Amino acid sequence: MLTPEFWRGKRVFLTGHTGFKGSWLVCILSRLGAEVHGFALDPDDGPNLFDLAHVAGLLAGDTRGDIRDAAVFRQALQAARPDIVFHLAAQSLVHASYEDPLGTLATNIMGTAHLFEALRKIGNPAVVVNVTSDKCYENREWVWPYRENEPMGGKDIYSVSKGCAELLTTAYRQSFLADLDIATATARAGNVIGGGDWADNRLIPDMVRAMADGQAPVLRAPKALRPWQHVLEPLSGYLMLAEHLAQKPNDFAEGWNFGPGPADTRTVAYVVETFLNLSHSELRPVIQPHAYKEAQILKLDSAKANAHLGWTPRWSIDQALSRTADWYCAHVEGQDMATFTMQQIGEYFGDSLGTS
């Protein structure tokens, strides 16, 4: 899947490294032998993967700051002198965009602009993977999976912000970055699950909290279809994309989908029932519809990544849910979650991480 020799000694700058996906990505990059520099807000209070997996100890640089502060961000990026940039810092929740639309727009749009403007002014050649979302597409509530050439759009602030981040990437690439040997691409993942996620109003974390409290999980839209996948699936795609970008920037500097196969686009109800059974819980969910708009059908077509990157999902939805339930059960049992997290990374990648 990956080329360990490519990553060994590479200087990687990762925004959002204290978050759920960012923490998993630091762990993988550490195994690959990369030198990782992070820029992010402090991790959330309470349990979080960054602390539980001892991610701070895997970093060469750990800068805390807000991506909306252009000057502070540019200083951190310039100090890191990265070969590769992964941009994950974002306001990543639909419901939060209803509560704070301006904050969401400022982080997801202007934060992305601050990244590209800093890269433009610094001018060092680099590879950049901007992680957006499957919700960047104009959702037409149809049954067909979205391909990379579908129009951007959205009915909620979060989705619009991610569509704008995609358009910004294209504009900066064509206006400035390509001429500076800064290869840029975007990555659009499905609905990720995995151990160490405690975000509010996200399905698996909500169930974990409900089980801990002995309360029935609350579902907003049990019939909604989503492209579920373990967090390691898209992260492997981001890494493969970065490798290809470095080798042939003109061929890979565009948008890429990293979603599950058709059989793994399942309803919310299926995910909940399966996870509860895997966790040996007798709780059953209750339905409380929400007031804000949210897409009911969302699927991704990843044929391009399969054909041109050689990327394909490794774990089915049932395997992904099983690994996720195992992680949370291990946490409840008091196991060393840094070791457990690395074990799951080893299970997924096998020998492709090398010996670093």
Side-chain angles (χ1 to χ4, degrees):
M1 292 179 68
L2 300 175
T3 309
E5 295 77 14
F6 171 85
W7 292 99
R8 196 165 296 123
K10 282 287 193 302
R11 296 176 66 89
V12 178
F13 188 82
L14 171 58
T15 72
H17 69 287
T18 60
F20 166 55
K21 289 174 75 173
S23 293
W24 277 98
L25 185 53
V26 173
C27 292
I28 301 168
L29 287 166
S30 173
R31 284 281 300 272
L32 286 167
E35 179 184 312
V36 187
H37 299 257
F39 180 92
L41 299 171
D42 291 333
D44 292 335
D45 293 336
N48 63 78
L49 181 60
F50 184 82
D51 291 333
L52 288 169
H54 306 312
V55 174
L58 305 176
L59 296 164
D62 183 1
T63 303
R64 303 301 170 85
D66 194 322
I67 192 103
R68 293 174 292 186
D69 188 331
V72 170
F73 176 76
R74 179 182 171 187
Q75 183 179 22
L77 182 66
Q78 190 162 19
R81 296 179 290 109
D83 303 303
I84 298 169
V85 177
F86 290 103
H87 179 44
L88 276 68
Q91 193 297 97
S92 59
L93 300 170
V94 172
H95 81 93
S97 74
Y98 279 91
E99 297 171 359
D100 184 14
L102 292 181
T104 299
L105 295 171
T107 299
N108 294 355
I109 300 177
M110 289 309 299
T112 301
H114 291 162
L115 166 66
F116 290 135
E117 191 64 7
L119 288 164
R120 181 178 78 87
K121 290 182 177 179
I122 294 169
N124 292 334
V127 165
V128 183
V129 176
N130 179 21
V131 176
T132 61
S133 171
D134 56 354
K135 296 176 180 62
C136 67
Y137 294 108
E138 180 184 342
N139 194 302
R140 301 180 184 181
E141 299 289 0
W142 58 23
V143 296
W144 300 284
Y146 292 94
R147 296 172 296 177
E148 288 86 349
N149 59 355
E150 306 282 0
M152 301 291 102
K155 298 180 177 67
D156 59 86
I157 295 297
Y158 173 76
S159 299
V160 167
S161 74
K162 288 300 185 177
C164 286
E166 289 278 349
L167 297 174
L168 266 175
T169 306
T170 300
Y172 263 91
R173 179 195 303 126
Q174 295 179 353
S175 298
F176 308 112
L177 302 181
D179 294 335
L180 298 171
D181 292 326
I182 300 173
T184 58
T186 57
R188 308 152 188 176
N191 281 50
V192 297
I193 61 174
D197 187 5
W198 272 279
D200 290 332
N201 284 285
R202 193 173 280 162
L203 188 60
I204 298 294
D206 283 351
M207 281 196 289
V208 170
R209 281 186 288 268
M211 287 188 290
D213 295 337
Q215 302 293 322
V218 176
L219 304 189
R220 301 190 301 266
K223 295 181 180 179
L225 280 169
R226 291 290 185 272
W228 306 99
Q229 58 188 157
H230 194 275
V231 63
L232 293 174
E233 303 279 17
L235 294 182
S236 70
Y238 305 163
L239 292 162
M240 294 176 73
L241 175 56
E243 287 188 20
H244 283 74
L245 264 179
Q247 294 159 9
K248 295 183 178 180
N250 293 333
D251 294 340
F252 295 95
E254 53 191 29
W256 298 84
N257 287 344
F258 298 101
D264 293 322
T265 298
R266 297 296 190 104
T267 64
V268 168
Y270 177 87
V271 170
V272 170
E273 290 169 6
T274 303
F275 187 81
L276 290 173
N277 290 336
L278 288 167
S279 303
H280 308 290
S281 173
E282 296 181 357
L283 295 172
R284 285 299 171 259
V286 296
I287 300 172
Q288 294 181 7
H290 54 69
Y292 53 82
K293 295 180 181 178
E294 195 170 13
Q296 293 300 300
I297 301 175
L298 183 55
K299 302 179 182 180
L300 285 180
D301 185 328
S302 303
K304 187 173 83 166
N306 178 250
H308 298 292
L309 299 177
W311 178 87
T312 188
R314 284 196 166 192
W315 287 347
S316 68
I317 179 59
D318 290 337
Q319 290 173 310
L321 286 166
S322 177
R323 283 354 187 262
T324 302
D326 288 346
W327 195 99
Y328 286 107
C329 287
H331 175 250
V332 170
E333 293 167 0
Q335 294 192 39
D336 181 338
M337 298 316 297
T339 300
F340 196 90
T341 299
M342 285 297 190
Q343 286 174 347
Q344 289 201 330
I345 289 171
E347 289 174 16
Y348 181 85
F349 286 98
D351 296 333
S352 66
L353 295 183
T355 58
S356 294

